Amino acid sequence: MNVTTSPRWIISGAPRPAAPKLYCFAHGGGSAAEYLRWARDLRGAEPHAVQLPGRGSRATEPVITAMDTLVEAFLAEVSLSKEPYAFFGHSLGALVSYEITRALRAAGRPLPARLVVSGFPAPHLPRTADGVHRLSDAELLDTVSRMHGGIPQEVLASPELCALTATALRADYEILETYSWRSEEPLSLPVTVFGGSDDHVTGEQLEAWRALTTGEVTVRQFPGGHFYLRERPAVVLRALAGAVGSIRPRAVDTPC
């Protein structure tokens, strides 16, 4: 597979040697498991789900609450595919994948062949920090549920799951609310931007990603809200497969 990674950070499904590798970064409070489930239906790629500390299989590890710390830890422990690969990130995951891409460039390491970002405004746009990460657990879960939805009822009905989810969400909102975009040269890779037509993230905010790369940019909105990708998964996965479909592994030399 030509992939050497820390098993703590990357959870992989069955290998598909002929398919490009797609590293998926979860939304705020999310777990790698949701994106690993795509492996069955996303035939055009080999998904590798990124698991952050403090959730899922890493639930006992301390959470990370600053973007720079997260990016540094990821780059220190993860060696990405030697073959062409792509990043996909939804919501906060879009911001994380973008910053990791910029850090890879700064380190002189191979970049993704395509960046697919979803449900997040272009990072250079001004935003206000609203202190969500400072709320109590109950207030935090209620606020996020009202803003975005996406928290399953079985989680809200379980005090233990509520506590685990609130811990992850609080860390992720602190990353988001303390994040400050730093001006750099635009990326030079193609970027695909997805969003929901009924999401609070507007079409204009999605279009603004065009300013962050000199490569080709494609913007597409799907029916639905912030978690549109759960509402029409088949349509979204077809579009995602199309976005990464032009990425092909390098040919392997065979002996005569």
Side-chain angles (χ1 to χ4, degrees):
M1 281 174 53
N2 287 327
V3 183
T4 303
T5 66
S6 164
R8 297 192 307 156
W9 285 92
I10 306 293
I11 302 177
S12 303
R16 290 186 181 141
K21 292 163 181 61
L22 178 67
Y23 295 93
C24 300
F25 296 80
H27 55 277
S31 170
E34 177 170 359
Y35 298 92
L36 195 62
R37 285 194 289 268
W38 287 357
R40 183 184 63 182
D41 299 315
L42 187 61
R43 295 297 179 183
E46 181 183 279
H48 297 264
V50 177
Q51 187 76 288
L52 300 186
R55 63 215 71 197
S57 58
R58 305 182 68 182
T60 59
E61 297 181 36
V63 295
I64 294 176
T65 59
M67 180 65 78
D68 288 347
T69 305
L70 173 57
V71 172
E72 290 170 7
F74 183 89
L75 264 63
E77 295 192 43
V78 179
S79 297
L80 298 164
S81 173
K82 297 177 182 178
E83 298 290 349
Y85 65 90
F87 279 167
F88 170 85
H90 177 64
S91 197
L92 177 65
L95 181 62
V96 173
S97 64
Y98 166 74
E99 284 297 336
I100 287 177
T101 300
R102 297 213 296 177
L104 287 168
R105 180 178 65 177
R109 291 169 58 175
L111 302 185
R114 180 175 292 271
L115 178 62
V116 184
V117 292
S118 167
F120 197 83
H124 67 293
L125 297 178
R127 62 173 53 84
T128 57
D130 44 17
V132 172
H133 74 278
R134 297 190 181 93
L135 299 174
S136 69
D137 284 3
E139 292 172 324
L140 175 66
L141 291 172
D142 180 65
T143 298
V144 173
S145 185
R146 284 188 288 104
M147 286 194 306
H148 304 302
I151 302 177
Q153 285 301 315
E154 56 266 28
V155 170
L156 297 175
S158 165
E160 181 180 2
L161 291 178
C162 277
L164 289 172
T165 301
T167 297
L169 275 172
R170 188 182 311 285
D172 290 346
Y173 267 91
E174 186 167 353
I175 290 173
L176 176 62
E177 293 175 342
T178 59
Y179 170 80
S180 180
W181 183 79
R182 292 187 288 264
S183 179
E184 295 179 5
E185 288 294 318
L187 297 170
S188 58
L189 52 84
V191 176
T192 298
V193 186
F194 289 164
S197 59
D198 299 322
D199 192 8
H200 67 282
V201 180
T202 67
E204 291 77 12
Q205 291 174 317
L206 299 176
E207 290 283 347
W209 279 92
R210 296 184 185 277
L212 301 181
T213 183
T214 59
E216 172 195 8
V217 177
T218 303
V219 179
R220 179 172 177 182
Q221 288 183 282
F222 300 84
H226 191 62
F227 286 98
Y228 70 90
L229 64 177
R230 293 175 179 170
E231 298 173 40
R232 296 172 178 260
V235 175
V236 175
L237 291 182
R238 281 198 300 271
L240 182 56
V244 302
S246 60
I247 302 172
R248 291 289 178 265
R250 288 188 290 271
V252 178
D253 294 333
T254 55
C256 298

